[in-house]
Each structure stands twice: as C-alpha cells, then as structure tokens.
Amino acid sequence: MSSISIRSLQTMKEQQQKFAVLTAYDATFAQLAADAGVEVLLVGDSLGMVLQGRDSTLPVSVTDMAYHTACVARGNAKATRPALIMTDLPFMSYGTLEQGLASAREVMQAGAHMVKVEGDDWLVPLVETLARQGVPVCAHLGLTPQSVNKFGGYRVQGRDEAKATAMIEHAVALANAGADLILLECVPSELAARITAAVTVPVIGIGAGSDTDAQVLVMHDMLGLNTGHTPKFVKNFMIDGRNVQDAFKAYAEAVRAGEFPAPEHGFSA
Ligand code: KIV
Ligand code: NA
C-alpha cells in the first residue's frame, strides 16, 4: 500500500471518510500506530509534557522536535502503510517569516511531511510563504496551548458568537492562504461543525465534537497513561484486555466508524 499524503486526506474529506491522527514521538510506537491504520502521526510539542515532564509546551525547542521527528520517521518507514508525519513548530519558533522558514526546514529535513503552527489569521503570511516553498501546513486554532499564559489556563475557546464568527473567518482565511489542514482544539462541537463545513480542507478535532473530518488524541491519554487530570475529550482504548496494537486499531476504527468521539466527549457553546 502506498503511503498517506495530503492528497489522500483531501480525497477522504471529499468522500466523507473520517481519518485518525495520533501523536507519536518514537520509532516503535510510530510503526505500530501506522500499522494499526492511523493515517497521520503527529509529532506534537505535547512531548514537552508527556516525555519531558514539563508543565507546558513552552520550553520545547526546534532541536527537540527534529530529534523526535527523525525517530518517528525511521519507525514509520518500516510500516506496511506509512502514515503522514506532521510535526509541531514549537513556541516562538515561527514569530517571524525567517524563523518560521528555518524551523520548518529543520523538521522537514528530519523527516516531517508537514508542519503545524498555532494561531489565527496572523499566520496567513507564514502559511502562504511555506506553501510556496513546498511545505504543507496545518493551522491549529481554538485552544492553542502555546498561548496558555495569554488565555489564563487551558479553556474552551469560541464560546461566544463574536469569537465563534472570528474563528470561522480565520479558518477560511488560513485555508485560502494555502493551509492543507485545520486543527481545532477545545471548541464547542457546533462551532467545529460550522468550520468543517466552511472549508474544503480536512479539519481535525480534539475536544471539538464528532462532526470534524478527523480526530486526534495524545497517545498516552488513549492508552490510559494519564498521570494527572483526564480531559473530558479523552477516551481510554486500552481496555478489555487489549494490547497496545489492539488499542491503536480500536481507536482508528472507532474514529473511522464515527463512534469516537461520542457526544459526551464534546463541549457545548
Ligand atoms: O502537541 C500535541 O499533541 C497537539 C495535539 C494535542 C493536537 O498539538
Ligand atoms: Na501541539
């Protein structure tokens, strides 16, 4: 089977076929997740928390991201059907176009197929420039954890109509600028459905209800390896005597079948 590309994901959206995204930070889990049918491996800056034990994603460096991307790329290459590798550009590594290009080069040369950046329409020039340089981009909106200090905590975003309307406009502007994917974190399910209908590119959700084109979870969370507070949108798939491979398969299948997330995993406005 040929590997997953942004074209495969676009086709899946057009055919209303949902796909699964899972974080991966090393070779073994990357290969197992790809072999379980996960379409996109996200080398998330959540590694700052789940691997490095920090209390936010802010201290993560581009070098950290490139290292884990290279590990994931090696494992993924051994999978029967390699996944698409998407890597986060970390906090303050894309504040200017020049920084953004340098950071993207580092992670793309380490093995990423696309980058993810957090923000709203201020990202438009960066997305346009990266697209022209051949770098696919996912724009992450809603609860963007790199802005936790500005938000004053990890809170659901877009709950009032003015903020919801602005988020729809930002998503459309970013897709028009050349973003190939949109990711929505912790936004009301109804707003996520409106954004998914408003853009032609696939929309990935986490804490964004069941109407997005795809879902993402942090691997540790879906394996029940949560050490602190378990967010409402998390489901533990490591149940019923499953091993890790079975849990990955169950997650990918539940997303594809539209069984995960269920209404109780989402937020209201
Ligand atoms: O870093 C990460 O794992 C993420 C997902 C939670 C979307 O950005
Ligand atoms: Na992230």
Side-chain angles (χ1 to χ4, degrees):
M1 274 189 283
S2 63
S3 48
I4 301 289
S5 67
I6 54 167
R7 285 191 54 201
S8 332
L9 303 179
Q10 185 64 47
T11 303
M12 289 178 89
K13 169 146 186 162
E14 283 155 17
Q15 298 178 346
Q16 298 186 326
Q17 172 63 63
K18 291 186 189 278
F19 60 89
V21 183
L22 187 62
T23 67
Y25 316 100
D26 75 8
T28 301
F29 285 121
Q31 184 178 348
L32 294 179
D35 275 336
V38 168
E39 277 87 2
V40 179
L41 300 175
L42 170 62
V43 186
D45 60 356
S46 52
L47 68 83
M49 281 132 122
V50 294
L51 300 191
Q52 299 176 337
R54 305 180 190 277
D55 62 9
S56 79
T57 60
L58 273 61
V60 176
S61 69
V62 177
T63 306
D64 293 336
M65 296 311 298
Y67 170 79
H68 289 283
T69 299
C71 296
V72 165
R74 284 182 212 112
N76 187 48
K78 294 183 199 148
T80 315
R81 199 278 319 266
L84 182 89
I85 300 172
M86 169 158 85
T87 296
D88 272 336
L89 297 190
F91 179 65
M92 294 290 274
S93 73
Y94 51 94
T96 66
L97 285 183
E98 210 173 335
Q99 284 177 328
L101 290 174
S103 304
R105 181 185 59 201
E106 211 164 316
V107 301
M108 294 295 284
Q109 289 184 334
H113 302 118
M114 72 186 296
V115 301
K116 177 161 79 61
V117 287
E118 296 182 3
D120 49 34
D121 58 351
W122 76 266
L123 292 170
V124 162
L126 176 64
V127 169
E128 274 171 357
T129 306
L130 287 169
R132 273 196 222 114
Q133 305 270 335
V135 180
V137 182
C138 174
H140 181 158
L141 290 87
L143 198 185
T144 47
Q146 292 171 15
S147 300
V148 60
N149 293 297
K150 194 70 185 163
F151 290 143
Y154 296 99
R155 326 161 65 89
V156 176
Q157 300 295 312
R159 277 195 146 142
D160 65 73
E161 189 50 37
K163 293 229 171 75
T165 307
M167 205 185 295
I168 298 170
E169 284 168 9
H170 296 156
V172 169
L174 288 159
N176 288 340
D180 293 284
L181 293 174
I182 301 287
L183 187 146
L184 301 175
E185 178 166 351
C186 292
V187 304
S189 305
E190 196 233 307
L191 172 58
R194 286 165 72 191
I195 294 174
T196 305
V199 297
T200 54
V201 298
V203 175
I204 304 167
I206 177 165
S210 54
D211 289 326
T212 56
D213 303 299
Q215 294 293 327
V216 59
L217 281 179
V218 169
M219 181 195 81
H220 294 62
D221 288 343
M222 57 75 69
L223 291 179
L225 302 176
N226 210 290
T227 50
H229 158 78
T230 302
K232 189 183 183 200
F233 53 78
V234 167
K235 179 173 172 170
N236 179 4
F237 286 87
M238 193 76 160
I239 50 167
D240 300 333
R242 288 180 189 141
N243 62 19
V244 170
Q245 287 92 324
D246 293 338
F248 286 171
K249 277 193 202 117
Y251 166 66
E253 279 160 21
V255 170
R256 231 169 266 136
E259 287 162 5
F260 175 79
E264 72 261 23
H265 298 114
F267 298 100
S268 56

